[in-house]
Amino acid sequence: MKDLDPAGHAVTPAERAALERPQLYVPASPPPSMARLERSRLLRKLNTVRMMWKGSRNLLDLIHPELAQRRWNVVRAGGETIVTVNDADFARHVLQGNPDAYVKGRLYEIIFSRFLRKSSLTMDGETWRQRRRLISPAFNARAIKGVEAVVARHVEAMLQGWGEAADAGRAVDLTHDVGELAMRIAMEAFFSADMGDDPARIGALMDKVITDAGSPPFADIMNLPGWFPRRSRRKAMGWLAELDAWLYPLIDARLARREAGEEEPEAPDLLDILVHAKDEETGAFLDRASIRNEVLTLFAAGHETTALSFAWGLDRLSREPERQERLAAAAAEAEAEAGGPLDPAAARAVPLLPAAYDEILRLYPPAFSIGRQAVAADRFEDVEIAPGTRIQIVIGMIHRNPRYWERPGVFDPERFLQANRAGRHPFAHIPFGGGPRICVGLALARLEGVMVLARALPRFRLSPDGPPPEPVGKITLRTRAPVRMRVARR
Ligand code: HEM
């Protein structure tokens, strides 16, 4: 029997089986089994070359599918020891138990150094601690409250476009729409009225620079010698120069106002908060280059991740008619009680809405895998971790690990209702990482996530416009092609 979505599109049994399989990514041509690789040095060498080749197009190919049945796997490749982790205890040990034994490492440096330079995302040790203290006020409860109205307004603007698409019987380009949504929110949250007349140009520049920064040449990722061909980044450096030419004067104007003795405005935007952030211990402000680096970093770390969570999440909801109806009914009921569209506090108070966003982040974590590099000798159970060892915590596998999750491929927001959380490992769900370096922007991401669900679902019935998207691992978990979706007014 076919499972019909509300618009009458058939979700075929094969699609349902693919959607609900425990692993998100199953390679088209699987590598030799781990047991065979462990037995033969030659096979290991050949496989490293094969993985490098495949990984250059899709980083998910670097993760051995049999890791799903293991807690971790240790390999040596390119002169490095790499431990891939599919275990919540191991993840907790590295991220929270002994974080000072690890740094972000070479990979982060490669991805971010040319564009964003040194920032909270890439620094380590005491300099990172100090920087984190300085940027945290931009994401505290007061700052998040300050952007609530911005989020609501831009979500409404996106939904207006959906209304027009629904009336015209057109599909919406979901990838485009949520990308624009996340960019518009970030632009206004950071720069409020200072965006000038050209927010679209600046948004597009930001987008291009960030997308390029997020796809470093594979030869750099694999530490290949300088003669190995690399994609040119000249164009991206040009966009960056254009962006800097816009951003620096904006920062300078705010710095000049601070120097002239002006207090932080009553309703500061995030740039104001960074300009006025003062280290309690040293009394120092961030200098202009550091503010620039932080602004670009926060855009890079926050924009694509959030947009991807909406693209994956709304697509999945479009294929889950029953769950979608239940969520829509819960949101509509709360709307009726509130007498209008839900504000963030009211949306958060409908338990199924934040639970659904958590479930989306479990199945499709935009930061699929995060890395560390050991700087001190460490040990976890019987794994000796020498300085230099790279650890890859495969969040996407932990999130579908049957040791922590029943029917891991099934989309079930109720897992995250308070009553069903008891006894779950605290590191079984880590879409935002964990420990001291947990995502600084998670409250903003959650605010956006809950608002998108709270405003979209009671008004529109979502249905798919094509087969489920295919995952592609860059630094984030992207879809191979833009995702399209059908919307109908309720
Ligand atoms: C759904 C959206 C998001 C996801 C899934 C996500 C995920 C993550 C993860 C997993 C980390 C930890 C990385 C590690 O330990 O190596 C992280 C760190 C970070 N995120 Fe997010 N993030 C999201 C949204 C945001 C937003 C909206 C911002 C800011 C506007 C942001 C800014 C940052 C920064 C600056 C760090 C580095 C923190 C530090 O090292 O101290 N993220 N994020």
Side-chain angles (χ1 to χ4, degrees), residues 246-390:
W246 170 80
L247 185 54
Y248 270 126
L250 215 71
I251 295 172
D252 289 341
R254 307 267 184 117
L255 287 175
R257 292 214 288 270
R258 189 192 71 201
E259 292 306 307
E262 269 187 41
E263 295 285 312
E264 188 179 274
E266 192 85 345
D269 59 27
L270 301 187
L271 182 57
D272 287 318
I273 297 178
L274 292 179
V275 164
H276 287 269
K278 195 179 198 172
D279 194 304
E280 278 173 17
E281 285 175 22
T282 63
F285 289 113
L286 286 167
D287 60 40
R288 83 193 269 273
S290 302
I291 294 174
R292 174 263 184 213
N293 297 353
E294 287 303 331
V295 168
L296 289 188
T297 298
L298 292 168
F299 264 85
H303 162 256
E304 203 202 355
T305 43
T306 318
L308 284 171
S309 71
F310 304 151
W312 280 112
L314 293 172
D315 175 80
R316 182 68 189 247
L317 271 168
S318 78
R319 298 171 200 278
E320 300 283 348
E322 275 173 33
R323 305 273 178 203
Q324 193 192 137
E325 288 308 301
R326 218 174 300 166
L327 282 165
E333 196 184 316
E335 269 192 353
E337 251 171 60
L342 299 180
D343 66 17
R348 275 191 287 261
V350 181
L352 266 182
L353 293 175
Y357 193 52
D358 272 335
E359 179 69 338
I360 289 167
L361 292 172
R362 180 184 73 84
L363 285 169
Y364 306 101
F368 194 80
S369 172
I370 57 176
R372 289 292 186 273
Q373 195 148 14
V375 283
D378 190 21
R379 185 192 174 88
F380 176 76
E381 295 190 8
D382 61 355
V383 188
E384 294 288 353
I385 301 164
T389 302
R390 267 174 50 193

Side-chain angles (χ1 to χ4, degrees), residues 46-98:
L46 289 175
N47 189 52
T48 306
V49 175
R50 172 184 185 274
M51 301 273 270
M52 274 166 55
W53 168 245
K54 296 191 88 181
S56 68
R57 282 169 295 169
N58 186 353
L59 290 177
L60 298 179
D61 273 313
L62 293 180
I63 302 164
H64 198 296
E66 284 176 25
L67 179 64
Q69 281 85 51
R70 296 192 174 199
R71 295 177 64 202
W72 59 77
N73 185 43
V74 184
V75 286
R76 280 198 61 78
E80 286 183 309
T81 303
I82 304 169
V83 185
T84 36
V85 174
N86 173 19
D87 184 81
D89 280 320
F90 205 152
R92 174 160 62 178
H93 173 80
V94 172
L95 298 175
Q96 190 176 53
N98 194 12

